[in-house]
Amino acid sequence: MGSSNLNVSYSKLGQNLVPSAIASVMTIALENPNILSLAAGFTDSHSLPVLDVSDAVKSLSERPGSAEYLQYGTNQGRSALRSRVAGRLMTQDGISIDEEDRKRVFITNGSQQALFLATQVLCDTGDIVFVESPSYFVYLEMLKGEGVEARSLPTRGDGSIDLPALEKELVGIRNAGEIGRVKAVYLVSYFSNPTGESRSEEEKIELAGVLRRIGEPIAVIEDAAYRDLYFTHEHPARSIVSLNAFEGISCLYLTTLTKPFATGLKIGSGFCTDAKWLERILWLKGHHDFGSSNFTQAILEEVLSDDCFDNHLRIIRRIYQEKMNALHAALCDGGLTEVGWSWKEPSGGLYLWLKAPEGLDTRMGSEFWKACCQNGVLYVPGDLCYGGVEVFDNVRLSFGVLEQEKLKEAASRFTETAISFSRIKS
Ligand SMILES: Cc1ncc(COP(=O)(O)O)c(C=O)c1O
C-alpha cells in the first residue's frame, strides 16, 4: 500500500509536540551496543524480585475465587491495595489512618500516569507550574507538550528554595493580574531525580506559609518516587499530606511501587486531599483505561501483605548504596574532581548530579556530548532538567542499571573524556 495523501488534521493536543530528549538518548544507547549508558533511570535488573512475584502469583492462583484477579477491577484501584498504600504512608509519617484517608488514594499505571492526569485536569495552555531548579525532566517535557510553562522556583546556592523570593515573585504575578495562571508547585522532595537531595520539613512548612499568605488556589504536588530508596536512613521529613501547615491547600502526594519493587509492574499511586481534584483525576482515568491492571495490583497487594516488600527494599538499598559508592569512587580515582568537576554523594535515590567546570557546555550535541558518545558513554545533559532557566554545565549520571564493573568502566570513559577536555582548555 502506498502512503495516503488524504492527510487527516490533528487535535490541538500534540500541537506543542517536542521530540522527547530522553527517547533520543535511549535510541542512541540501543543502537550502539558498545555504549555504556549512565543516562537511563532504570533499576538494577539482577535484583528484580522474580521469585517474590512468582510466589505471589502462585498464592493468588491457589486462592478460592482466584479468577477475580483476571477480571476488570475498579477505576480508582483495588481497595485492599489502596489501604496498604495509605497504611505505608501513615507509618512513614507516624500518623493514624481512617476510612476517609483510604478514599483519597488512587492507583495508576506508574506515578507517571498520576502526574499526567493530575496536570491535565489542573492546567490549560499558558498556565504556570513552579518546579524545582533542577527538576524531573520527563515532567518538564510533559508540561512543555501541554503548553504549560515550567517556571523554576527561586533557588539558593545550597539548593534550598528561596521562599521570600518566591513570595515576592507571586505578589508580582498577582499585581500583573496573572495569578490565575499559577496552578501548582511540583516538588520531588525525597532523594530527588536529578540531584539526590531531599527537602526538609521546615522548608515544606515555610512553602505552605507562602502559599497561605498569597491566598490563591495553588496546588502542591509532592512526588515521592524515591522516598523508599534511601541507603541507610529514611529522610525524616513528613510528607505534605501529613503536615497541618498544608491544611486547606490542595495537595497531591505521589508514590510508586515501580522503583522500590519492580519497574515492569508499573503501578503507582496518589493521595489527594482535594476531593474535587481527585474526582476530575478519576474522571480522566476512566477515559484512559477505567482502572490499572487488576492482576498486577493484586500481585502488589500480596507482596505488601507480609514482609516481602520490605525485605526486598532492604536488599536493594544496600545494592544501590554499593553502586553509588562504586561510581563515585571510580570518578574520583580517575581524577574527575582534579579537573574541576564537583558533586555531592547522595544518601539515597539513583543519581549523581555533577557540576562541570565553569563554562563547559554539556548539552546534547555539544562537543563534550559528542566526545562522550564517541568514547562509549552516555549521560543525561543537565540543561534538560531546568524549567525556564538556561544552565548548560550539569550532568546526571544514573547508577541504577549497570553492574558495578560496567559502572567503573563507564566512569573511566567519562573521566577520560572530561580530562581530555580540560587539556584542550589549558
Ligand atoms: C521523579 C519521578 N517521578 C515519577 C517517575 C515515574 O515513575 P513510575 O511511572 O515508574 O512510577 C519517575 C521515573 O523515573 C521519576 O524519576
Side-chain angles (χ1 to χ4, degrees), residues 58-96:
K58 187 161 182 291
S59 96
L60 289 176
S61 63
E62 286 167 355
R63 207 158 291 162
S66 58
E68 180 257 323
Y69 304 122
L70 295 178
Q71 187 50 274
Y72 279 136
T74 57
N75 188 35
Q76 190 163 351
R78 291 178 68 83
S79 145
L81 181 59
R82 289 194 282 124
S83 293
R84 298 261 171 228
V85 167
R88 280 188 79 75
L89 170 63
M90 299 307 149
T91 312
Q92 278 172 322
D93 282 356
I95 57 171
S96 61

Side-chain angles (χ1 to χ4, degrees), residues 41-42 108-115 135-139 186-188 190-194 223-226 254-260 262-263 266-269 350-351 396:
F42 283 28
T108 50
N109 298 319
S111 49
Q112 191 65 32
Q113 186 192 34
L115 264 177
S135 182
Y136 171 42
F137 66 90
V138 181
Y139 186 57
Y186 170 67
L187 305 175
V188 186
Y190 299 90
F191 312 109
S192 143
N193 178 3
D223 181 341
Y226 299 88
L254 300 179
T255 189
T256 183
L257 296 164
T258 66
K259 302 277 183 192
T263 26
K266 202 64 187 163
I267 292 289
S269 66
L350 295 180
Y351 312 104
R396 192 199 77 174

